[in-house]
């Protein structure tokens, strides 16, 4: 926890003593109990999905390792994620904001536990009016003064203590949000790299399909010139070719945009985007850890942030209650003062003062009670926010599991279609070599294969990307690289 890093033993002892000095004025801030489903989705998740050779196993109850992207067995992909974690400026901004919040908490805690002591020096020359019936009409004099002033407010009912607790919980929530940002960044890099590789392959396949369509249109045009085919057949072939050409600019634009996005995620300019991965070289993670719901509540950053927000609301409710009770302050000062420098520094110039004040709110127009009721409602809202965050997390995992399960079925069917069409195309090539069929039949077989290959590429990318989404949904935190912190400092 952040508070464990920040508070020193002496500070912890002081806070504990203050906590024991009075009764709790607000709720404890414990997370409400949540249902623990037997399985995430409507239907129970199978232990393994996919055909042999592309089989994926869900390991229930196993905790995922933080650097999950290494399961893709791609040194380039791992290097890209590490580079993004080091150089992404949005992440660096969040880290610096968290560091500033920690220092702000340190300042508030130290200011509330210790008295404030200030040194004040004054030297002035003044001209003032004299009494109207005696003495000169004006007085001209110097004032020299130096003082040490101290003040301290006793935290009788925990106003400062609850304010510190609220700020500490806010810092905790900010740290969990940073963990979530790191996880999202890693997943976005992996998914962007997969999609860029997929789009590159789709562009290549579509270019080949367009070339085949052009060849078909040219052949039909030559045959139409000798009356072998109708003009409508030529027009249909030309329209098909132009349709394929028309799809290429949009597909290429998506591919380049994905490469640009990947470069920016890594902290680079778009023109410095890395070369695309070979999607066929990416290994599908064979084992995917699947945390049980009770563990998910303790490891997803968004749930932990919602829990910290609940503790913030609890401390603020207690703070609103404590402000309705008396407060006691003491002030003291000691110094030297005089109208001349020798007198100001001599024994006759000693000045001091000490006093105490106690304040009990009596009438504030109902403002204090209204603030307390507002804090109570805010706490109840935080409980609802926690419950909804947990349900959303369960849904996120369930949707990822269902998508991954259907991805395996889709990829199996797409791979089978690609295999059959490829074999048919190879057979057509052999028959054409023997003169049994025309070249147009070979092109038709290749066209069927290329279309099936497009489906397989999309299904492969979807399964790889949805695996990354499930890893992210498990919520295991990512440790910031030490080198990254050193570089930013």
């Amino acid at each position: 926890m952040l508070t464990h890093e920040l508070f020193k033993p002496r500070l912890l002892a002081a806070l504990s003593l203050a906590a024991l000095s009075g009764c709790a004025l607000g709720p404890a801030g414990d997370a409400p109990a949540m249902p623990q489903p037997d399985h995430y989705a409507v239907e129970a998740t199978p232990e393994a999905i996919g055909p042999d050779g592309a089989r994926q196993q869900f390991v229930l109850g196993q905790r995922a390792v933080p650097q999950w992207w290494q399961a893709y067995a791609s040194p380039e992909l791992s290097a890209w994620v590490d580079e993004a974690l080091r150089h992404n400026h949005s992440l660096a901004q969040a880290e610096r904001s968290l560091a500033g919040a920690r220092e702000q908490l340190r300042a508030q805690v130290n200011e509330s536990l210790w008295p404030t002591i200030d040194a004040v020096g004054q030297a002035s020359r003044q001209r003032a009016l004299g009494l109207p019936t005696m003495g000169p009409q004006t007085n001209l004099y110097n004032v020299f003064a130096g003082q040490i002033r101290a003040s301290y407010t006793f935290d009788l009912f925990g106003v400062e203590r609850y304010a510190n607790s609220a700020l500490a919980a806010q810092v905790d929530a900010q740290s969990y949000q940073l963990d979530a940002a790191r996880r999202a960044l890693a997943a976005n890099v992996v998914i962007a790299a997969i999609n860029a590789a997929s789009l590159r392959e789709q562009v290549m396949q579509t270019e080949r399909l367009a070339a085949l369509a052009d060849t078909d249109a040219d052949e039909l045009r030559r045959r139409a010139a000798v009356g072998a085919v109708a003009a409508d057949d030529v027009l249909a072939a030309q329209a098909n070719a132009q349709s394929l050409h028309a799809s290429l600019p949009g597909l290429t634009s998506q591919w380049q945009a994905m490469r640009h996005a990947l470069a920016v995620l890594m902290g680079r300019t778009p023109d410095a985007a890395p070369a695309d991965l070979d999607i066929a070289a990416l290994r599908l993670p064979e084992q995917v850890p699947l945390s049980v719901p009770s563990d998910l509540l303790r490891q997803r950053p968004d749930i932990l942030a919602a829990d910290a927000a609940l503790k913030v609301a609890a401390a603020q409710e207690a703070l609103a209650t404590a402000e309705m009770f008396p407060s006691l302050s003491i002030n003291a000062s000691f110094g030297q003062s005089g109208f001349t420098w020798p007198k100001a520094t001599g024994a006759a110039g000693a000045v001091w003062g000490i006093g105490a004040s106690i304040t009990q709110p009596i009438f504030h127009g109902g403002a204090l009670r209204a603030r307390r009721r507002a804090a109570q409602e805010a706490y109840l809202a935080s409980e609802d926010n926690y419950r909804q965050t947990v349900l959303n997390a369960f849904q996120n995992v369930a949707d990822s599991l269902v998508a991954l399960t259907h991805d395996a079925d889709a990829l199996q069917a797409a791979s089978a279609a690609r295999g059959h069409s490829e074999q048919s195309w190879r057979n057509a090539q052999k028959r054409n070599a023997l003169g049994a069929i025309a070249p147009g039949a070979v092109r038709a077989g290749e066209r069927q294969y290329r279309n099936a290959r497009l489906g397989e590429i999309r299904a492969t990318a979807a399964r790889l990307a949805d695996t990354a989404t499930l890893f992210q949904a498990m919520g295991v935190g990512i440790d910031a690289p030490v080198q990254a912190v050193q570089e930013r400092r």
Side-chain angles (χ1 to χ4, degrees), residues 167-438:
L167 186 56
Q170 288 176 352
V171 174
D172 281 343
Q174 195 168 343
S175 73
Y176 296 133
Q177 291 167 359
L178 177 59
D179 285 340
R182 288 187 182 130
R183 291 190 56 77
L185 175 61
N188 288 339
V189 169
V190 172
I191 293 173
I194 291 170
N195 288 337
S198 170
L199 287 167
R200 171 179 171 272
E201 291 291 331
Q202 292 180 50
V203 167
M204 294 173 60
Q205 297 296 330
T206 304
E207 287 176 342
R208 179 55 183 164
L209 284 169
L212 290 172
D214 287 339
T215 303
D216 287 341
D218 290 341
E219 180 178 330
L220 287 175
R221 187 167 54 250
R222 290 193 299 270
R223 295 177 62 188
V226 296
V229 295
D232 288 345
D233 294 336
V234 178
L235 293 174
Q238 290 175 334
N240 179 58
Q242 291 305 316
S243 177
L244 287 169
H245 283 291
S247 68
L248 275 172
L251 198 59
T252 304
S253 178
Q254 293 178 38
W255 170 34
Q256 297 301 326
M258 192 60 63
R259 295 189 66 197
H260 296 163
L262 177 60
V264 171
L265 287 173
M266 296 168 62
R268 303 184 184 184
T269 56
D271 62 307
D276 292 305
L277 296 173
D278 181 5
I279 195 169
L282 288 175
R283 187 181 72 184
L284 182 72
E286 297 177 358
Q287 291 189 343
V288 181
L290 187 61
S291 301
V292 296
S294 59
D295 288 340
L296 192 73
L297 302 184
R298 297 190 294 268
Q299 65 190 37
R300 268 188 65 121
D302 55 345
I303 297 178
L304 295 175
D307 180 65
L310 187 62
K311 290 176 171 54
V312 171
Q316 289 176 340
E317 180 179 339
L319 173 61
T321 304
E323 288 177 339
M324 302 172 68
F325 291 91
S327 62
L328 174 64
S329 300
I330 60 171
N331 298 277
S333 64
F334 173 79
Q336 295 286 122
S337 181
F339 295 107
T340 64
W341 180 252
K343 291 183 179 180
T345 56
V351 294
W352 60 270
I354 187 170
S357 64
I358 186 169
T359 303
Q360 168 62 56
I362 295 178
F363 179 74
H364 286 253
L368 296 179
R369 293 187 180 276
R371 289 173 188 159
R372 183 170 182 267
R373 289 193 298 270
Q376 290 172 337
E377 294 297 330
Y379 178 76
L380 295 176
S382 295
E383 284 189 325
D384 291 331
N385 175 67
Y386 178 85
R387 294 186 181 96
Q388 190 61 48
T389 301
V390 171
L391 293 178
N392 290 341
F394 287 167
Q395 179 186 357
N396 181 212
V397 175
D399 292 344
S400 299
L401 286 170
V402 171
L404 201 53
T405 301
H406 291 295
D407 287 343
D409 296 336
L411 179 57
Q412 184 174 2
S415 296
R418 189 267 310 156
H420 295 323
S421 60
E422 183 177 14
Q423 185 61 47
S424 177
W425 174 38
R426 300 304 180 191
N427 292 339
Q429 287 178 320
K430 293 177 182 178
R431 295 174 64 190
N432 175 255
L434 297 174
I437 59 175

Side-chain angles (χ1 to χ4, degrees), residues 13-65:
L15 287 178
S16 300
L17 182 61
L20 294 173
S21 63
C23 59
L25 301 182
D30 296 331
M34 294 297 298
Q36 301 296 315
D38 295 330
H39 45 80
Y40 289 102
V42 174
E43 298 179 356
T45 305
E47 294 183 359
I49 57 175
D52 294 338
R55 197 163 182 79
Q56 212 169 30
Q57 182 180 5
F58 297 119
V59 185
L60 185 63
Q62 179 177 334
R63 187 178 179 85
V65 294

